[in-house]
C-alpha cells in the first residue's frame, strides 16, 4: 500500500514539473515579450495620446459653444434716481400746491381743484418712483456664447500639422522600441541555445577525458605510461568539471533573463525548442544590405524627419503672433430681473452677433525673438537628422563588414573542426598502437574541444551579425 502511494505521489510530482516547464520557440518568446514589455506598453500609450492630441487639434477649426450662469445677492438694489429725486417725485403735487398758494389766495375758487390736482400728481410721482425700482438684490444671469475662428494667422493649420507629425513620431518610436525588444529576445534566445550546445560539448569532452583517464590507468599498470601522464589527465578532468559548472550557472542566469524579457516569473522552467538540436538551425541570411534600405526603414530617421517638419511649422506658429486674429461671435444673454422691458421679475434675454478682431501692435520685440527661437530649433532638428544619417551609414557599413567577417570565420572554424576531429582520431589510434605518447592525445583532445567550441561560437556570431545587420537596416521584424 505504501509503495502504491509513493508511486502515485511521484507520478503527480512528475506531471506537475512537466506542466510547469514551458517549451518556447523563438516566435513565442517574441510574442510574450511584445505582450508584456513595459517600455513597449509605454510607447503604445504615447502613440494613443498622440492620436487623441491630433483629434483635439482638429476641433480648433470648429465653433466653440459655451454656457455660463451666475447668481448674486446684494445688500441694496441698484437705483436709477437718488433719494432726493424719489422724495421730490413722491410729493410732486404737494410741492406744486405750495408754490401756487399765492394764486389760490387771489382766486379762492381754485383751491378745491388745486387740492385734487396735487393729490393726483403725488400719486403719479409715487407710481413713477415705484416703476423705477430695479429690485436687483437677487440677480440671476445665464448666457450661451458661440465663437467661430475665421483667421488666426495660420496657427490652427500649423498646429494640426504638428500634431499629425507628432503622431507619426510616436508610431516610429513604438517601432523602434519593438525592434529593441525583438533584438534583446533573439540575442538571449540564441545565447541560451549556444550555452546548451556548449554544455553538450563540455559533457562530451568530460566523457572523453574520463575515458582517457581510465585508459591511461591501464597503461600505467602496464608500464606504458607514467604517473605524471595520469596526473595531467586528472587535471584536465577537473578543469572539464569546473567548465561544466560555469556553463550551468551561465545557462541558469540566461534563462532567468529570458523569462524577465517575456514577462514570466524568473523561476519559471523554460525549455527552448532549438536547444536540444544537435546542430543549430539554418537561417536565411541577408544578401543585400544597402544604405537606401536603412534610410527608408530606420524609425529613428523617420522620427527626426518628422521633427524637422514640426520645427518648420513652429516657425509658422511664432509668425502668427504678428498677424491679426479674426473670429465671429454669437450668443444669447438672459437675466432676472429682465432688462429688456424695465426691471421685471422674470427671465428674459437678448441675442447678439459680432466680429472680434485682435491686432497686436507693440510687444517690445517679443514676437521677433519667438520667431528666432523657433528657427533655431528647426535648424537643430535638421542638424540632428544629418548627423543621424551619417551615423546610420557608418553603422550599416560596420554591420555589413562584421557579417562578412563572421561568415569567413565560421567557414574557417568549420575546416578547423574537421581537421581537429581527424587529428583526435589519429592520435587515439596511435596511442592504442603505442606509437604516440599520452601527451599528444591530450593535446589532440584539447584542440578538439577548442575547435568545436570555436565553430559553435562562430555559428552563433553569424546569426547575431545577421540580427544586428537587420537592426541597422531597420528591417528587424
Amino acid at each position: 500500500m505504501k509503495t502504491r502511494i509513493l508511486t502515485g505521489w511521484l507520478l503527480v510530482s512528475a506531471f506537475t514539473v512537466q506542466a510547469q516547464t514551458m517549451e518556447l520557440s523563438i516566435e513565442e518568446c517574441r510574442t510574450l515579450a511584445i505582450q508584456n514589455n513595459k517600455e513597449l506598453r509605454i510607447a503604445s500609450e504615447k502613440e494613443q495620446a498622440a492620436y487623441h492630441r491630433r483629434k483635439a487639434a482638429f476641433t480648433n477649426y470648429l465653433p466653440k459653444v459655451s454656457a455660463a450662469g451666475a447668481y448674486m445677492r446684494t445688500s441694496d438694489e441698484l437705483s436709477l434716481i437718488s433719494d432726493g429725486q424719489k422724495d421730490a417725485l413722491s410729493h410732486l403735487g404737494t410741492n406744486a400746491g405750495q408754490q401756487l398758494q399765492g394764486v389760490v389766495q387771489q382766486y379762492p375758487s381754485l383751491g378745491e381743484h388745486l387740492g385734487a390736482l396735487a393729490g393726483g400728481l403725488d400719486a403719479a410721482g409715487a407710481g413713477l418712483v415705484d416703476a423705477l425700482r430695479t429690485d436687483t438684490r437677487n440677480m440671476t444671469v445665464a448666457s450661451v456664447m458661440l465663437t467661430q475662428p475665421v483667421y488666426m494667422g495660420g496657427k490652427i493649420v500649423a498646429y494640426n500639422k504638428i500634431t499629425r507629425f507628432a503622431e507619426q513620431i510616436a508610431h516610429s518610436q513604438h517601432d523602434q522600441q519593438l525592434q529593441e525588444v525583438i533584438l534583446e529576445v533573439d540575442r538571449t534566445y540564441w545565447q541560451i541555445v549556444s550555452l546548451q550546445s556548449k554544455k553538450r560539448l563540455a559533457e562530451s569532452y568530460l566523457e572523453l577525458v574520463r575515458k582517457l583517464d581510465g585508459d591511461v590507468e591501464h597503461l600505467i599498470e602496464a608500464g606504458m605510461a607514467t604517473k605524471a601522464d595520469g596526473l595531467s589527465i586528472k587535471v584536465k578532468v577537473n578543469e572539464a568539471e569546473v567548465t561544466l559548472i560555469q556553463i550551468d550557472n551561465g545557462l541558469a542566469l540566461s534563462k532567468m533573463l529570458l523569462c524577465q524579457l517575456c514577462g514570466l516569473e524568473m523561476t519559471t522552467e523554460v525549455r527552448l525548442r532549438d536547444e536540444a538540436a544537435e546542430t543549430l538551425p539554418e537561417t536565411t541570411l541577408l544578401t543585400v544590405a544597402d544604405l537606401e534600405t536603412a534610410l527608408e526603414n530606420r524609425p529613428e530617421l523617420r522620427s527626426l524627419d518628422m521633427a524637422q517638419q514640426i520645427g518648420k511649422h513652429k516657425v509658422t506658429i511664432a509668425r502668427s503672433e504678428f498677424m491679426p486674429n479674426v473670429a465671429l461671435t454669437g450668443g444669447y444673454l438672459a437675466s432676472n430681473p429682465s432688462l429688456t422691458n424695465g426691471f421685471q421679475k422674470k427671465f428674459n434675454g437678448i441675442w447678439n452677433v459680432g466680429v472680434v478682431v485682435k491686432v497686436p501692435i507693440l510687444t517690445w520685440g517679443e514676437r521677433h525673438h519667438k520667431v528666432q527661437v523657433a528657427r533655431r530649433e528647426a535648424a537643430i532638428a535638421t542638424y540632428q537628422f544629418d548627423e543621424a544619417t551619417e551615423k546610420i551609414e557608418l553603422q550599416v557599413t560596420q554591420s555589413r563588414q562584421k557579417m562578412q567577417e563572421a561568415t569567413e570565420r565560421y567557414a574557417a572554424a568549420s575546416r578547423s573542426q574537421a581537421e581537429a576531429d581527424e587529428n583526435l582520431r589519429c592520435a587515439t589510434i596511435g596511442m592504442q598502437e603505442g606509437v604516440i605518447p599520452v601527451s599528444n592525445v591530450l593535446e589532440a583532445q584539447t584542440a578538439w574541444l577548442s575547435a568545436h567550441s570555436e565553430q559553435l561560437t562562430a555559428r552563433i556570431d553569424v546569426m547575431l551579425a545577421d540580427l544586428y545587420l537587420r537592426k541597422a537596416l531597420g528591417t528587424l521584424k
Side-chain angles (χ1 to χ4, degrees), residues 302-368:
R302 291 201 300 269
S303 297
L304 291 173
D305 184 39
M306 295 302 104
Q308 286 187 97
Q309 302 300 324
I310 288 176
K312 294 177 182 178
H313 290 292
K314 282 185 176 181
V315 174
T316 302
I317 291 178
R319 285 176 177 169
S320 67
E321 299 291 335
F322 290 92
M323 307 296 180
N325 294 340
V326 181
L328 297 178
T329 62
Y332 185 81
L333 175 66
S335 65
N336 184 6
S338 170
L339 304 178
T340 57
N341 189 19
F343 288 86
Q344 298 176 322
K345 293 294 291 182
K346 66 177 184 178
F347 269 104
N348 203 353
I350 56 175
W351 59 267
N352 62 84
V353 294
V355 178
V356 178
V357 180
K358 178 183 176 182
V359 181
I361 297 176
L362 180 63
T363 57
W364 306 104
E366 177 189 9
R367 292 166 294 170
H368 169 74

Side-chain angles (χ1 to χ4, degrees), residues 246-260:
Q246 291 175 342
I247 292 176
D248 284 333
N249 291 336
L251 192 58
L253 292 175
S254 297
K255 286 191 174 183
M256 291 176 65
L257 175 59
L258 183 63
C259 289
Q260 190 269 331

